[in-house]
Amino acid sequence: AALALLALFASACTAAPAAATPEPTPEASETAEASESEEPTPEESEASTGDELDFTLDPNFGSTDLTAGFTPDPFTVAVVSGGPIDAGYLGGGCDGWATAAPDYQVTYTSGDQSLLRFYFVPDTSGDATLIINTPDGEWVCGDDSYDGLDPTVDFDGPEGGRYDVWIGSYDDGEQIDGELNVTELDSNHP
């Protein structure tokens, strides 16, 4: 009887690890598959969100990493505004026509800086807007600033993370060449 009890106990002990071992493997496999399937291809993104701004698409004019105290300040990059999507659907004062993909992406490492400002200065005349998706997923927009048509968006006490930036054109069909500027200095503006 003791031998039968010992055999039962031994089979229970060897069965428990065998049952526990396969469980994590399928879960890990399912998680990896879900992560892979959640990453849309550019073709899928454009097809499924062709009428909305899509921060998952590659930016039109590139990206950069900036760390608090960056130089030169302002950081500037040449961009072109405009696109087929009316950003007004976002609400909250968002205006302008933009592409589905962000125009530029800034990954910011925050520090003790109290300001992070984005602004657009056109090479010629034109009325542009700024549309920014913040690291926490909030949409923040800007239009005319500093007594002109050039847009500015300020973040006080900026958080670190990815800022996806669209430069919109206030008028449908208009494209405006210019520079996106990123600064931490209050004296820098359009």
Side-chain angles (χ1 to χ4, degrees), residues 28-41 44:
S29 173
E30 289 169 14
T31 302
E33 289 174 17
S35 296
E36 290 172 14
S37 66
E38 288 176 340
E39 291 294 323
T41 65
E44 290 170 342

Side-chain angles (χ1 to χ4, degrees), residues 32-187:
E33 289 174 17
S35 296
E36 290 172 14
S37 66
E38 288 176 340
E39 291 294 323
T41 65
E43 295 80 22
E44 290 170 342
S45 295
E46 290 169 9
S48 64
T49 59
D51 58 347
E52 293 186 357
L53 306 184
D54 187 349
F55 61 85
T56 66
L57 296 175
D58 290 336
N60 296 321
F61 300 99
S63 63
T64 194
D65 296 333
L66 297 176
T67 300
F70 61 86
T71 57
D73 188 342
F75 168 84
T76 61
V77 62
V79 295
V80 178
S81 74
I85 299 169
D86 182 358
Y89 81 90
L90 294 169
C94 293
D95 289 311
W97 295 84
T99 62
D103 288 309
Y104 206 75
Q105 185 180 87
V106 174
T107 302
Y108 181 69
T109 302
S110 60
D112 61 356
Q113 303 299 326
S114 61
L115 174 70
L116 183 63
R117 172 177 290 155
F118 294 82
Y119 62 97
F120 176 77
V121 177
D123 292 342
T124 59
S125 64
D127 192 359
T129 65
L130 276 175
I131 305 135
I132 300 177
N133 186 264
T134 66
D136 64 3
E138 181 182 354
W139 292 96
V140 179
C141 299
D143 195 358
D144 305 341
S145 66
Y146 294 92
D147 298 322
L149 298 178
D150 304 334
T152 300
V153 173
D154 288 351
F155 295 97
D156 296 321
E159 65 180 307
R162 190 175 89 192
Y163 293 80
D164 293 294
V165 182
W166 286 259
I167 296 86
S169 293
Y170 192 78
D171 294 321
D172 185 14
E174 183 177 30
Q175 291 187 319
I176 306 165
D177 293 334
E179 285 188 336
L180 172 65
N181 296 264
V182 184
T183 185
E184 296 172 318
L185 303 174
D186 191 46
S187 59

